[in-house]
Amino acid sequence: MSKKSRLRKSRGHRSPDATVGKTVPLPPATHKPWQIAALCAVLTLVSAFAYWGVRNNEFVRYDDDDYVLLNRHVQQGITMQSVEWAFTTFDAANWHPLTWISHMADWKLYGATPRGHHLTNVGLHAANAILLFLLLLYVTGFSGRSAMVAFLFALYPAHVESVAWVAERKDLLCAFFWFATLLAYAWYVRKPSWRRYALVISAFACALISKPMAVTLPFTLLLFDYWPLRRITFSPETRAQWLSSLWKLCVEKLPLFIMSAVSSVITFLAQRSGGTVINLQDYPLWVRISNAAISYWRYVRIMVWPDPLRAYYYHERTQISVAAAVLSAIALLLVSAACWHIRKQRPYCLFGWLWFLGTLLPVIGIVQVGVQALAERYTYLPYLGLFIAIVWLACDTVQKYPKSKLAAQLLAVAVIIACAVKTSAQVKVWKDSATLFSHVLEVDPRGEVPNAYLG
């Protein structure tokens, strides 16, 4: 085996290990600590730069009242009574006790001053970007690719809604513990033990009680088993083997699946008690499925060209085109088939595409909660799959054509700068309620929701 082949094998291109409960080698550490620390510092600085404008933002009359300004339990700070309330309440049609406790801590520190609440969000977002970088570096060994994905995550304009909106603290906390779960899982896979597995369960529990969107996390662990951990491979020649291995990997995660099921039931009860679950008479099943198929591609469009962005997307339930829905569904199947076809050469494409489809599933509208068609805050974690697939595919392509390396590097820098500039501008849209909903009306004049809030 050549030196280049050995290096590629050590950096995420090794042969699959379809066993469960045995040590799985991960890429060796080839980077100096100061280099990793420098990249983490840069990630922190660029995140702070892009979101510097939030220091002048106010609370918005769009859930911030329910979560902070008019919530007497939150304003008690962290006490035995308020913590008990956090774990037993369905307030705001959700069950996320850790999120409530986070808001309590902020109120104790900052009171009604919005700057502190916003800066906490920015700090959590920067921490998420750093944790994502460390996770990808740990499981793949690629520092440049991992950094590029982390920069996209930190600076992507569609993520502004999750960061600049105080009430979306739950997105940030959920992502933090989501990445912590993946990192703990990779550590567990390197040398399985019950103590390491307990850490996986603990981190996952924190993600669930931050935001129930984490219910899909066990499925993303299975994706991690496929790539980059390579604990399973899909090959017609070894179908019996990979089916058996897949079953063992699912059994390995049985406690996590049970936790997801329990969280799903609690979340449904919470949302139904808050009156946010829409019945099938108002939104028939065919409307929901059609909107889901179309929305997947609307999310892709937003990722490719994040302009214009807005805080509210109307549901076209009475004007949905069946033809557009059918074409969208066919396109989803074709892309899925293409990713499956190249899974041996480009496993990260199948990984990234399934991550995108799967993590969006709880909020894609099959169970319709609220009356929006889609929302930018829902992209905070799902876009990560597309970022990974695009960055890895681009880098592998550049390796085939070395002369294009400089052009690719310049393009990457240009994309990062453009994202930072757009994000900085989008932060100002969330300055206050009037600015936010006036912007929604500018983008889409139909105005029941924004006019109600402006009124």
Side-chain angles (χ1 to χ4, degrees), residues 8 19 79 85 113 202 218 248 267 311-312 315 323 327 379 385 421:
R8 286 175 61 83
T19 59
T79 65
W85 171 84
T113 304
S202 300
K248 291 177 181 178
T267 300
Y312 194 85
H315 199 301
L327 290 175
T379 70
V421 171

mmCIF file of all heavy atoms in Angstrom, residues 8 19 79 85 113 202 218 248 267 311-312 315 323 327 379 385 421:
data_model
loop_
_atom_site.group_PDB
_atom_site.id
_atom_site.type_symbol
_atom_site.label_atom_id
_atom_site.label_comp_id
_atom_site.label_asym_id
_atom_site.label_seq_id
_atom_site.Cartn_x
_atom_site.Cartn_y
_atom_site.Cartn_z
ATOM 1 N N ARG A 8 -4.889 8.278 3.352
ATOM 2 C CA ARG A 8 -6.325 8.400 3.086
ATOM 3 C C ARG A 8 -7.112 7.434 3.958
ATOM 4 O O ARG A 8 -8.181 7.750 4.461
ATOM 5 C CB ARG A 8 -6.624 8.129 1.605
ATOM 6 C CG ARG A 8 -6.210 9.262 0.698
ATOM 7 C CD ARG A 8 -6.419 8.874 -0.762
ATOM 8 N NE ARG A 8 -7.801 8.579 -1.039
ATOM 9 C CZ ARG A 8 -8.738 9.501 -1.303
ATOM 10 N NH1 ARG A 8 -8.434 10.765 -1.274
ATOM 11 N NH2 ARG A 8 -9.981 9.144 -1.568
ATOM 12 N N THR A 19 -18.721 -4.498 13.055
ATOM 13 C CA THR A 19 -18.941 -5.113 14.347
ATOM 14 C C THR A 19 -19.462 -4.092 15.336
ATOM 15 O O THR A 19 -19.267 -2.905 15.188
ATOM 16 C CB THR A 19 -17.645 -5.727 14.891
ATOM 17 O OG1 THR A 19 -16.657 -4.707 14.997
ATOM 18 C CG2 THR A 19 -17.152 -6.824 13.965
ATOM 19 N N THR A 79 -34.909 28.706 41.176
ATOM 20 C CA THR A 79 -35.291 28.280 42.523
ATOM 21 C C THR A 79 -35.873 26.872 42.431
ATOM 22 O O THR A 79 -36.139 26.366 41.328
ATOM 23 C CB THR A 79 -36.334 29.220 43.130
ATOM 24 O OG1 THR A 79 -37.555 29.127 42.350
ATOM 25 C CG2 THR A 79 -35.847 30.668 43.110
ATOM 26 N N TRP A 85 -41.397 23.828 38.146
ATOM 27 C CA TRP A 85 -42.308 24.303 37.102
ATOM 28 C C TRP A 85 -41.757 23.985 35.716
ATOM 29 O O TRP A 85 -42.490 23.544 34.831
ATOM 30 C CB TRP A 85 -42.514 25.810 37.257
ATOM 31 C CG TRP A 85 -43.257 26.432 36.115
ATOM 32 C CD1 TRP A 85 -44.609 26.495 35.942
ATOM 33 C CD2 TRP A 85 -42.682 27.064 34.953
ATOM 34 N NE1 TRP A 85 -44.914 27.130 34.757
ATOM 35 C CE2 TRP A 85 -43.748 27.488 34.132
ATOM 36 C CE3 TRP A 85 -41.370 27.315 34.546
ATOM 37 C CZ2 TRP A 85 -43.536 28.147 32.917
ATOM 38 C CZ3 TRP A 85 -41.164 27.968 33.333
ATOM 39 C CH2 TRP A 85 -42.231 28.378 32.538
ATOM 40 N N THR A 113 -32.913 43.676 30.515
ATOM 41 C CA THR A 113 -32.000 44.259 29.524
ATOM 42 C C THR A 113 -31.762 43.248 28.415
ATOM 43 O O THR A 113 -31.162 42.190 28.655
ATOM 44 C CB THR A 113 -30.654 44.637 30.168
ATOM 45 O OG1 THR A 113 -30.891 45.522 31.264
ATOM 46 C CG2 THR A 113 -29.745 45.300 29.153
ATOM 47 N N SER A 202 -26.577 10.782 28.541
ATOM 48 C CA SER A 202 -26.748 12.033 29.291
ATOM 49 C C SER A 202 -26.808 13.235 28.354
ATOM 50 O O SER A 202 -27.664 14.119 28.509
ATOM 51 C CB SER A 202 -25.597 12.196 30.288
ATOM 52 O OG SER A 202 -25.565 11.129 31.215
ATOM 53 N N PRO A 218 -30.954 9.734 17.294
ATOM 54 C CA PRO A 218 -30.519 8.337 17.173
ATOM 55 C C PRO A 218 -30.344 7.883 15.722
ATOM 56 O O PRO A 218 -29.458 7.076 15.417
ATOM 57 C CB PRO A 218 -31.647 7.559 17.863
ATOM 58 C CG PRO A 218 -32.211 8.526 18.839
ATOM 59 C CD PRO A 218 -32.140 9.857 18.149
ATOM 60 N N LYS A 248 -27.830 -4.953 14.787
ATOM 61 C CA LYS A 248 -27.049 -4.842 16.023
ATOM 62 C C LYS A 248 -26.824 -3.378 16.406
ATOM 63 O O LYS A 248 -26.875 -3.018 17.581
ATOM 64 C CB LYS A 248 -25.709 -5.546 15.858
ATOM 65 C CG LYS A 248 -25.814 -7.056 15.761
ATOM 66 C CD LYS A 248 -24.449 -7.692 15.533
ATOM 67 C CE LYS A 248 -24.559 -9.201 15.410
ATOM 68 N NZ LYS A 248 -23.242 -9.832 15.136
ATOM 69 N N THR A 267 -44.148 15.753 23.689
ATOM 70 C CA THR A 267 -44.215 16.947 22.843
ATOM 71 C C THR A 267 -45.580 17.077 22.183
ATOM 72 O O THR A 267 -46.161 18.168 22.118
ATOM 73 C CB THR A 267 -43.121 16.888 21.762
ATOM 74 O OG1 THR A 267 -41.841 16.836 22.403
ATOM 75 C CG2 THR A 267 -43.181 18.117 20.870
ATOM 76 N N ALA A 311 -39.216 36.213 8.523
ATOM 77 C CA ALA A 311 -39.564 35.520 9.762
ATOM 78 C C ALA A 311 -40.820 34.670 9.637
ATOM 79 O O ALA A 311 -41.100 33.880 10.541
ATOM 80 C CB ALA A 311 -39.755 36.545 10.885
ATOM 81 N N TYR A 312 -41.540 34.808 8.533
ATOM 82 C CA TYR A 312 -42.794 34.064 8.421
ATOM 83 C C TYR A 312 -43.025 33.657 6.973
ATOM 84 O O TYR A 312 -42.952 34.494 6.062
ATOM 85 C CB TYR A 312 -43.975 34.888 8.934
ATOM 86 C CG TYR A 312 -45.215 34.063 9.154
ATOM 87 C CD1 TYR A 312 -45.400 33.374 10.339
ATOM 88 C CD2 TYR A 312 -46.182 33.950 8.162
ATOM 89 C CE1 TYR A 312 -46.520 32.583 10.543
ATOM 90 C CE2 TYR A 312 -47.309 33.179 8.353
ATOM 91 C CZ TYR A 312 -47.471 32.492 9.541
ATOM 92 O OH TYR A 312 -48.569 31.702 9.727
ATOM 93 N N HIS A 315 -48.463 29.420 4.505
ATOM 94 C CA HIS A 315 -48.815 28.083 4.015
ATOM 95 C C HIS A 315 -49.820 28.223 2.885
ATOM 96 O O HIS A 315 -50.899 28.770 3.072
ATOM 97 C CB HIS A 315 -49.413 27.260 5.159
ATOM 98 C CG HIS A 315 -49.389 25.784 4.907
ATOM 99 N ND1 HIS A 315 -50.003 25.189 3.825
ATOM 100 C CD2 HIS A 315 -48.794 24.776 5.606
ATOM 101 C CE1 HIS A 315 -49.814 23.884 3.873
ATOM 102 N NE2 HIS A 315 -49.073 23.608 4.944
ATOM 103 N N ALA A 323 -49.092 19.336 -9.286
ATOM 104 C CA ALA A 323 -48.013 19.037 -10.233
ATOM 105 C C ALA A 323 -46.658 19.382 -9.626
ATOM 106 O O ALA A 323 -45.698 18.609 -9.742
ATOM 107 C CB ALA A 323 -48.228 19.814 -11.530
ATOM 108 N N LEU A 327 -43.666 16.690 -8.884
ATOM 109 C CA LEU A 327 -42.318 16.898 -9.424
ATOM 110 C C LEU A 327 -41.285 17.011 -8.307
ATOM 111 O O LEU A 327 -40.165 16.502 -8.429
ATOM 112 C CB LEU A 327 -42.298 18.155 -10.302
ATOM 113 C CG LEU A 327 -43.056 18.062 -11.625
ATOM 114 C CD1 LEU A 327 -43.053 19.422 -12.333
ATOM 115 C CD2 LEU A 327 -42.420 17.006 -12.537
ATOM 116 N N THR A 379 -33.760 25.160 9.956
ATOM 117 C CA THR A 379 -32.585 24.761 9.170
ATOM 118 C C THR A 379 -31.311 24.698 10.007
ATOM 119 O O THR A 379 -30.268 24.307 9.495
ATOM 120 C CB THR A 379 -32.343 25.753 8.011
ATOM 121 O OG1 THR A 379 -31.891 27.020 8.539
ATOM 122 C CG2 THR A 379 -33.600 25.982 7.203
ATOM 123 N N GLY A 385 -25.953 18.694 7.112
ATOM 124 C CA GLY A 385 -25.734 17.574 6.209
ATOM 125 C C GLY A 385 -25.350 18.027 4.815
ATOM 126 O O GLY A 385 -24.429 17.472 4.191
ATOM 127 N N VAL A 421 -21.335 39.029 5.586
ATOM 128 C CA VAL A 421 -21.953 40.318 5.275
ATOM 129 C C VAL A 421 -23.480 40.202 5.300
ATOM 130 O O VAL A 421 -24.186 41.047 5.882
ATOM 131 C CB VAL A 421 -21.474 40.820 3.896
ATOM 132 C CG1 VAL A 421 -22.274 42.053 3.457
ATOM 133 C CG2 VAL A 421 -19.991 41.157 3.948
#
